[in-house]
């Protein structure tokens, strides 16, 4: 024991030196770690916005590809709906049904493409929409324009790369509509006020209309396929001595947030228009 104490006394300065050296190394390490921490923090503050922006760009590009794929999938499904076809039995065209015989021939009547909205207005009596496809993409006047939710309007003018669309919220728009719950046809028009609400005219007062009833395209035109959602009944009222009901329709399409549309082509429109023009000339 005495030898140990004597050893410690004789080498005390060595132990102090070792302890102080250890403390110095610890302090240096801490100082270097703090410096590295500060440098890393500065670098991170510079690189984080870049990484975030880059990641956001990659995400948008990936989302764009995913959205494109979804649009194409939706178009493929829409093209196979029943109202896209007619059937031919000898010389008579009838709507496709599950009971069609082997003697009928399935004929495509409508086809779909899509476009993006580049400009639109909703706060004017004469609103309009511009889409990013034109004559080079096969777009022509009087094609139907739809949103994923329902009817948008009709192509009114076409340039090489763009087209303008006359939407439902335009005081000159007229769309033939049907209330399928009562098999009644009327006309959807807009009164120039709320872009979310239209009027359904020409429905007799004696008919019973319920709030929430669907209003669909009638199919009595060469533009819109039958059975496309226009909106739902929001309000029904009557006036004394009036012949028709006052029906307010909540439009299915949200025009204020419209970014993508489907453009529908009637593949036999020119043939049908020729027949209709013959009736006018008689």
């Amino acid at each position: 024991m005495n030898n140990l104490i004597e050893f410690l006394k004789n080498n005390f300065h060595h132990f102090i030196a070792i302890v102080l050296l250890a403390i110095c190394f610890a302090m240096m390490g801490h100082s270097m770690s703090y410096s590295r921490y500060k440098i890393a923090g500065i670098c991170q503050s510079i690189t984080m916005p870049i990484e975030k922006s880059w990641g956001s760009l990659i995400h948008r590009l990936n989302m764009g590809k995913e959205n494109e794929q979804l649009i194409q999938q939706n178009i493929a499904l829409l093209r196979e709906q029943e109202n896209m076809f007619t059937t031919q039995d000898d010389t008579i065209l009838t709507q496709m049904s599950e009971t069609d015989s082997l003697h009928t021939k399935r004929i495509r009547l409508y086809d779909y493409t899509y476009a993006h909205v580049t400009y639109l207005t909703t706060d004017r009596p004469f609103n309009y929409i511009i889409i990013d496809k034109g004559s080079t993409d096969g777009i022509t006047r009087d094609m139907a324009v739809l949103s994923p939710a329902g009817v948008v309007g009709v192509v009114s003018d076409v340039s090489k790369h763009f087209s303008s669309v006359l939407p439902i919220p335009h005081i000159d728009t007229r769309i033939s509509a049907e209330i399928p719950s009562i098999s009644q046809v009327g006309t959807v028009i807009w009164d120039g006020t709320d872009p979310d609400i239209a009027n359904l005219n020409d429905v007799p007062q004696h008919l019973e209309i319920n709030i929430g009833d669907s209003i669909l395209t009638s199919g009595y035109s060469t533009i819109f396929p039958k059975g496309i959602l226009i909106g739902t009944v929001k309000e029904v009222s009557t006036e004394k001595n009036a012949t028709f009901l006052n029906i307010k329709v909540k439009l299915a399409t949200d025009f204020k947030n419209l970014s993508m549309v489907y453009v529908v082509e009637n593949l036999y429109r020119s043939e049908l228009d020729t027949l209709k023009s013959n009736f006018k000339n008689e």
Side-chain angles (χ1 to χ4, degrees), residues 140-191:
T140 61
R141 291 188 62 184
D142 294 330
M143 282 187 174
V145 181
L146 313 176
S147 72
V151 173
V152 171
V154 180
V155 174
S156 57
D157 289 294
V158 179
S159 67
K160 193 172 182 181
H161 301 292
F162 297 92
S163 301
S164 61
V165 177
L166 209 67
I168 298 179
H170 187 291
I171 60 175
D172 291 337
T173 299
R174 302 287 185 275
I175 297 178
S176 178
E178 180 184 15
I179 309 173
S181 61
I182 58 172
S183 300
Q184 176 63 38
V185 174
T187 304
V188 170
I189 65 172
W190 187 60
D191 62 8

Side-chain angles (χ1 to χ4, degrees), residues 52-189:
K52 186 176 181 180
S53 299
W54 178 254
S56 178
L57 176 61
I58 296 299
H59 178 70
R60 285 198 297 269
L61 290 175
N62 288 334
M63 284 295 291
K65 291 179 181 178
E66 291 174 4
N67 288 338
E68 186 82 11
Q69 291 174 351
L70 287 174
I71 291 171
Q72 295 294 349
Q73 290 172 5
N74 287 338
I75 288 177
L77 292 173
L78 290 168
R79 292 182 78 249
E80 296 307 313
Q81 289 185 332
E82 249 183 54
N83 59 355
M84 296 293 102
F85 297 89
T86 62
T87 58
Q88 188 177 32
D89 187 0
D90 294 332
T91 59
I92 301 174
L93 289 178
T94 59
Q95 286 293 325
M96 187 70 177
S97 71
E98 294 180 358
T99 59
D100 287 330
S101 69
L102 296 176
H103 300 289
T104 59
K105 179 181 179 182
R106 199 169 188 235
I107 300 173
R108 177 171 293 283
L109 186 58
Y110 295 95
D111 207 354
Y112 274 80
T113 186
Y114 75 96
H116 295 97
V117 173
T118 61
Y119 188 78
L120 63 83
T121 65
T122 58
D123 57 352
R124 308 174 187 180
F126 301 92
N127 290 302
Y128 64 95
I129 298 169
I130 295 177
I131 59 176
D132 64 352
K133 288 190 177 179
S135 58
T136 56
D137 305 291
I139 308 299
T140 61
R141 291 188 62 184
D142 294 330
M143 282 187 174
V145 181
L146 313 176
S147 72
V151 173
V152 171
V154 180
V155 174
S156 57
D157 289 294
V158 179
S159 67
K160 193 172 182 181
H161 301 292
F162 297 92
S163 301
S164 61
V165 177
L166 209 67
I168 298 179
H170 187 291
I171 60 175
D172 291 337
T173 299
R174 302 287 185 275
I175 297 178
S176 178
E178 180 184 15
I179 309 173
S181 61
I182 58 172
S183 300
Q184 176 63 38
V185 174
T187 304
V188 170
I189 65 172

Side-chain angles (χ1 to χ4, degrees), residues 205 235-239 244-248:
Q205 275 204 9
E235 180 184 323
V236 181
S237 61
T238 59
E239 294 181 5
F244 300 106
L245 292 168
N246 295 323
I247 303 174
K248 298 290 185 183

